[in-house]
Amino acid sequence: MKFSLRVLKYMKDFWFLETVAYLCMLGINFVQIYRPQLTKQIIDVGITENQPDVLTTSVLMLLALTLVQGVLRFGETYLTERVSQGIAYVLRNQLYQKMQKLSFSYHDKTQTGQLLSRTTRDVDRLRRLTGRSILNLVQAIILVVSTAVILFRTNATLAACSLLVMPIIVLYMSKYVNTVHPLWHQRQDIMGDLTTRLEQNLYGLKVVRGFAQEDAERERFAQPNQQIFDISMDLARRQAVAMPLTVFLASSSAVFILWLGGSFVIQGKLTLGEMIAFNAYVLQLVAPMRQLANVANMLGESEASAERVFEVLDADVEI
C-alpha cells in the first residue's frame, strides 16, 4: 500500500476542495443516520398514539432531508471529481516531463507501449482512487461505526447479533485485496507489451506485408491478448464472488434481526417503531459493505498502477 499512500499525498494541494467534499459526505451520513429515527417517530407517536401533527411534521422533515441530501450529494460528487482530475493532470505532466529528462539508455530498455500505458491507463486508475474510492471508504467506515453505536444503544442483544458477520467480511476483504493485487499488476504489464507490439506493427505495416508476415504478426499479437483475456476473467470471477458474498452476509444478518426483533416486539421488549428503525439501520449496513467490496477491488488495481507510475518517476537520470 506504500505506493497508493504516495498518490494520496497529492491530495494536500487540493485540501480546501477535499475538506468541503468531506463535509458534504458527513452531512449525507447524518441524514442517513437520522432518517430511521423519524420513521420510528412516525410509527410510535404519529400513528400509534394518533397524533396527526407529529405525523405531518415528521413526513415534511423527511422530505426536507431528502432534498438536502440531494444537494450535498451533488457537491460531494462534483468536488471529488474536480480533485481527482486535478491529480491526474499533475501526474500526467510529471510523467511527461520525467520521460523527456530520462537518458537514451532508459528508453532503449523500456518499451514505448509500457510508457504509454502508464501515462494513460495507470494514471486514470489512480484518478479513480483519489476520487470516489477513498471518499467511499471513509464514508463506509463512518457509517458503519455510527450505525453500530445507535444499534447498541437501542438493543445490545440485537446489535451484537447483527454485527457478528462484520469480522468475517473484514478478513475476507483483506485477503481479497492481497490476492487481486499481483493479478492487476501482471495484467497491466502485459497490456503495455500489447500496446508496444501494436505500435510496432502499425509503424512497420509496409514491411510486414512486403515480407508476407501477416500470420506471424497475428500470432505475436494473439498471445498477449489471450493472456489479458485469461487474467481479466480470473479477476472477474473473483469480483463476482466477492460482491454477492459480502452483500449476502450483510443481508442475512438483516433477515435474522427481522425475526428476532419481531419476537422482541411480541414480548414487549421493543416497540414496533424501534424494531422497524433497527432493521432499517441493519439494512443500511449493506451499502457500506458493498462499497467496501468495490474499494477493495479498486485498491488492488490502484496499487499495481501506482507501482508502475512511480517506477518511471523514481527512475535515475544518468545525464
Side-chain angles (χ1 to χ4, degrees):
M1 294 298 295
K2 63 178 182 178
F3 292 102
S4 295
L5 292 176
R6 283 184 64 181
V7 175
L8 297 183
K9 292 180 181 179
Y10 285 82
M11 297 172 70
K12 67 181 181 181
D13 295 331
F14 305 89
W15 66 269
F16 179 75
L17 296 178
E18 278 293 302
T19 301
V20 178
Y22 277 81
L23 287 175
C24 290
M25 179 267 291
L26 291 175
I28 293 170
N29 275 4
F30 173 78
V31 172
Q32 289 183 271
I33 291 296
Y34 188 63
R35 187 181 287 124
Q37 295 297 323
L38 281 176
T39 304
K40 170 189 168 186
Q41 186 172 329
I42 290 172
I43 295 173
D44 286 345
V45 181
I47 298 176
T48 305
E49 297 181 10
N50 193 21
Q51 296 189 24
D53 293 341
V54 175
L55 178 62
T56 302
T57 303
S58 299
V59 169
L60 290 175
M61 286 186 65
L62 275 176
L63 182 62
L65 286 175
T66 303
L67 178 62
V68 170
Q69 187 179 31
V71 174
L72 292 174
R73 198 170 293 281
F74 167 79
E76 174 195 68
T77 303
Y78 177 80
L79 292 173
T80 51
E81 185 64 20
R82 173 66 181 81
V83 171
S84 65
Q85 291 289 353
I87 292 173
Y89 172 82
V90 172
L91 281 172
R92 281 192 291 264
N93 277 339
Q94 288 184 346
L95 281 168
Y96 182 77
Q97 293 170 9
K98 185 60 181 279
M99 285 187 286
Q100 299 300 309
K101 295 178 181 179
L102 288 169
S103 307
F104 289 124
S105 60
Y106 179 87
H107 289 284
D108 290 338
K109 293 181 294 184
T110 306
Q111 295 176 337
T112 305
Q114 290 286 354
L115 296 177
L116 289 172
S117 178
R118 298 180 194 207
T119 308
T120 54
R121 295 188 184 92
D122 289 322
V123 169
D124 189 63
R125 290 189 178 96
L126 296 182
R127 176 191 63 80
R128 286 182 282 165
L129 172 68
T130 56
R132 296 291 305 174
S133 295
I134 295 300
L135 186 137
N136 285 342
L137 176 62
V138 175
Q139 184 176 24
I141 293 173
I142 293 175
L143 193 59
V144 168
V145 172
S146 55
T147 301
V149 171
I150 294 175
L151 290 178
F152 275 101
R153 289 185 62 183
T154 303
N155 189 292
T157 303
L158 284 177
C161 293
S162 63
L163 297 176
L164 282 176
V165 297
M166 289 296 295
I168 301 174
I169 293 175
V170 171
L171 289 174
Y172 177 75
M173 286 295 103
S174 175
K175 183 178 179 181
Y176 173 76
V177 171
N178 293 331
T179 303
V180 299
H181 167 241
L183 291 175
W184 277 115
H185 198 294
Q186 183 182 2
R187 181 185 182 278
Q188 286 156 220
D189 283 340
I190 299 174
M191 183 66 74
D193 294 338
L194 187 70
T195 305
T196 298
R197 292 189 181 184
L198 179 61
E199 180 192 26
Q200 291 173 348
N201 185 273
L202 292 176
Y203 276 133
L205 192 59
K206 293 181 179 179
V207 177
V208 171
R209 290 185 174 180
F211 287 90
Q213 293 298 304
E214 292 92 343
D215 291 339
E217 288 301 318
R218 277 196 291 268
E219 185 70 25
R220 288 183 62 207
F221 185 85
Q223 183 179 357
N225 195 28
Q226 182 65 43
Q227 290 178 314
I228 292 171
F229 175 80
D230 293 339
I231 295 173
S232 298
M233 291 310 302
D234 190 8
L235 287 166
R237 281 191 294 268
R238 293 173 189 273
Q239 187 176 5
V241 171
M243 180 69 71
L245 179 61
T246 304
V247 174
F248 169 75
L249 290 173
S251 301
S252 61
S253 176
V255 174
F256 176 74
I257 292 304
L258 187 62
W259 170 78
L260 186 59
S263 64
F264 281 1
V265 172
I266 295 173
Q267 298 169 16
K269 297 179 181 179
L270 279 177
T271 66
L272 180 61
E274 286 176 335
M275 193 273 287
I276 292 176
F278 193 97
N279 199 58
Y281 281 121
V282 175
L283 288 173
Q284 200 165 261
L285 292 175
V286 175
M289 294 301 102
R290 187 184 292 112
Q291 287 178 348
L292 288 174
N294 286 330
V295 171
N297 183 64
M298 178 60 67
L299 286 174
E301 182 180 352
S302 299
E303 178 66 13
S305 293
E307 287 181 22
R308 287 162 49 82
V309 167
F310 286 112
E311 280 178 6
V312 178
L313 293 177
D314 295 339
D316 294 327
V317 180
E318 296 179 3
I319 300 175

